[in-house]
Amino acid sequence: MKNRRLRVALIGYRFMGKLHSHAYQTVQQLMRPPLEIEMAVLCGRDARQVATQAAAWGWQETSTNWAEVVARPDIDAVDIAVPGNAHAEIATMALQHGKHVLCEKPLANTLEDSVRMVQAARQAGTAAMVGFNYRRAPAIQLAHQLIQEGRLGKIFQVRGQYLQDWAVDSTVPLTWRFQQAIAGSGSLGDLLTHVIDLTHYLVGGFTHVSALQKTFVAERPLPGTLTGEGLGHAGEGTQGETGPVSVDDLTAVMAHLDGDAIGIFEATRFSTGYKNALRLEIHGEQGAIRFDLERMNELEYYVRDSRDPSLEGFRRILATHPDHPYMQYWWPEGHIVGYNVTFAHQIYDWVEAISRQRPVRPDFLDGLRCQEVVEAIVGSAAESRTTKVLHQTF
Ligand code: SOE
């Protein structure tokens, strides 16, 4: 980090690579970060595509060799936006070279890899963050404030869902998202981990889980190309043959949470009608909150008021007031923001932590805590029994 500049290398250029690239531009242009961000290197396997995207998104250089990139002395920070099977190797090597690291969620596909990554982050002492971007939606930050202020009182229940429907079509090809060796799991790792992380952030840890998992479509056509985003979009033609799906299409969980609360959770890509509905409801003795990502500027807040129960009801707060978290960077009140800003906020906070040499959350240990819950869920579903969540100690 020379002259208050942060030279970043981004590994991966598809859906998440595009979002992260957009976020670097946004942070630099609109948020006045404490370090000047230089979009130094974009790295990926396909030289031609990396070059095209780097030119479009404003990266200075390209590379097809991540190991070389993370070892370069002129690179300060490494951003990992590739599927989970590659996270541990890239992140640990980047940390060994003293880089700051931002790693997409879930932290890794296995507990062992997650532990390795936490250890490497501790040894490096740099800012190692995991990309649970929804923590940084303004309405979620507002929910966090309300809960911290004790406004919900003792919390009884958390209801969390992450519902999509793009995989219902059985002709959607067998992209990496359906392959356990690459993605680690399906709706569990891709979607439910966001809900688990938000529960950790807003309410607390998981102690026991009772889960079931289901794969509705067992075979899918093999993809014709390696391009596309894995979500069954254009560019993902098929070859005619099929292959086995090795991940869950739905995961449902009942959980005991810290503080005597109960959680009920589900994630699936088969909820016809829902496109990207991360819905969270938290009920306490004094009140409740409701959040729905498809209406992400709103937080619904219910106050139990025994003085006048006839006027009780959820109120809809538009989380766009300049006093609401992050809103000072955006538009006049009521001029709503979108999915992409959660990534900009995440990058801003990472850069700020690097600049001020402060800890950043969610860090790799938060990523590991999430993975511990994932492990317990998989074990519970496989054995059809309630399973204790085991915590790693260091
Ligand atoms: C999958 O459909 C996906 O893109 C996830 O991978 C992201 O983490 C989530 O934010 C949106 O949905």
Side-chain angles (χ1 to χ4, degrees), residues 29 32 50 77 94 117 124 145 189 192 209 264 275 281 346 385 394:
Q29 285 166 5
R32 293 175 179 268
V50 180
M117 292 167 82
Q145 273 179 20
L192 201 70
V209 295
I264 299 188
K275 301 303 169 188
E281 303 185 349
Q346 171 173 283
R385 65 177 176 84
F394 293 92

Side-chain angles (χ1 to χ4, degrees), residues 15-16 105 134 162 164 166 177 190-191 194 231 276 339:
F15 180 21
M16 286 301 130
K105 48 56 62 175
Y134 296 128
Y162 203 148
Q164 299 182 342
W166 57 272
R177 288 179 187 272
D190 187 27
L191 303 179
H194 280 299
L231 291 166
N276 199 31
Y339 173 63

Side-chain angles (χ1 to χ4, degrees), residues 129-372:
M129 188 184 199
V130 59
F132 284 117
N133 56 302
Y134 296 128
R135 284 195 187 201
R136 288 174 161 83
I140 289 289
Q141 290 281 315
L142 178 60
H144 186 252
Q145 273 179 20
L146 295 176
I147 293 170
Q148 290 300 304
E149 289 165 9
R151 292 189 193 235
L152 302 197
K154 180 177 165 45
I155 290 173
F156 298 125
Q157 288 175 66
V158 180
R159 192 169 303 111
Q161 300 164 329
Y162 203 148
L163 313 175
Q164 299 182 342
D165 71 357
W166 57 272
V168 166
D169 179 351
S170 60
T171 66
V172 167
L174 188 75
T175 59
W176 66 271
R177 288 179 187 272
F178 295 105
Q179 298 176 45
Q180 202 224 343
I182 307 176
S185 60
S187 54
L188 171 58
D190 187 27
L191 303 179
L192 201 70
T193 52
H194 280 299
V195 181
I196 295 168
D197 179 68
L198 288 178
T199 303
H200 278 155
Y201 180 52
L202 296 171
V203 178
F206 290 59
T207 61
H208 294 83
V209 295
S210 179
L212 62 84
Q213 297 194 287
K214 177 86 183 165
T215 301
F216 295 113
V217 174
E219 292 264 330
R220 289 185 180 272
L222 297 180
T225 68
L226 271 180
T227 60
E229 285 144 10
L231 291 166
H233 293 156
E236 293 171 349
T238 58
Q239 298 171 12
E241 287 168 56
T242 62
V245 171
S246 47
V247 301
D248 56 293
D249 287 331
L250 178 147
T251 294
V253 184
M254 292 186 290
H256 286 277
L257 305 174
D258 289 345
D260 230 15
I262 292 292
I264 299 188
F265 305 100
E266 58 176 324
T268 175
R269 297 151 168 175
F270 279 69
S271 274
T272 30
Y274 287 109
K275 301 303 169 188
N276 199 31
L278 194 183
R279 296 144 69 100
L280 200 62
E281 303 185 349
I282 301 176
H283 303 273
E285 196 172 5
Q286 307 299 335
I289 56 111
R290 288 202 295 226
F291 172 79
D292 179 352
L293 181 64
E294 290 183 344
R295 309 176 72 159
M296 66 168 275
N297 289 267
E298 301 170 16
L299 182 70
E300 290 189 284
Y301 176 38
Y302 172 84
V303 182
R304 224 180 111 230
D305 183 357
S306 51
R307 286 165 309 169
D308 202 347
S310 66
L311 292 180
E312 278 182 10
F314 274 96
R315 72 170 88 142
R316 185 184 70 107
I317 303 170
L318 201 52
T320 58
H321 187 276
D323 288 345
H324 284 138
Y326 298 110
M327 287 316 294
Q328 88 246 32
Y329 299 112
W330 303 109
W331 328 119
E333 192 173 3
H335 296 68
I336 54 178
V337 297
Y339 173 63
N340 54 316
V341 305
T342 61
F343 291 87
H345 300 163
Q346 171 173 283
I347 281 167
Y348 180 92
D349 290 343
W350 181 48
V351 173
E352 192 183 45
I354 293 169
S355 162
R356 308 210 192 291
Q357 297 183 313
R358 288 211 195 113
V360 67
R361 303 285 295 275
D363 60 13
F364 278 19
L365 185 59
D366 293 310
L368 166 64
R369 295 290 177 236
C370 183
Q371 193 61 39
E372 291 164 348

